[in-house]
Amino acid sequence: MENLILHIEGMSCGHCLNAVNRAIAALDGVEIDAVKIGRADLRFDAAKIDAATIAAAVSEVGYRATPAPAA
């Protein structure tokens, strides 16, 4: 599993958190560590999915997501 931080623009409330959490949770090969306003910390199986696909799933629910490798 690879670590990933998604920087997410446009989140401001609990509804935003839930929408982003649901979008990420629906993806195969992704485990969520935490979703906070402006950020999601996760792990993903690179054999099943990539960071760009995860960011696109967040974008599809209305938020701008930019992947950054987690330290």
Side-chain angles (χ1 to χ4, degrees), residues 5-71:
I5 295 171
L6 281 181
H7 297 285
I8 306 169
E9 296 177 33
M11 297 174 70
S12 62
C13 65
H15 169 76
C16 299
L17 290 171
N18 290 334
V20 169
N21 197 46
R22 280 192 308 270
I24 296 170
L27 301 171
D28 186 35
V30 179
E31 295 178 10
I32 300 169
D33 291 327
V35 176
K36 306 171 193 170
I37 299 292
R39 176 180 171 143
D41 299 331
L42 16 124
R43 288 170 286 153
F44 68 99
D45 182 346
K48 294 183 178 182
I49 196 164
D50 61 21
T53 301
I54 299 167
V58 173
S59 295
E60 286 177 15
V61 294
Y63 307 95
R64 180 184 164 118
T66 306

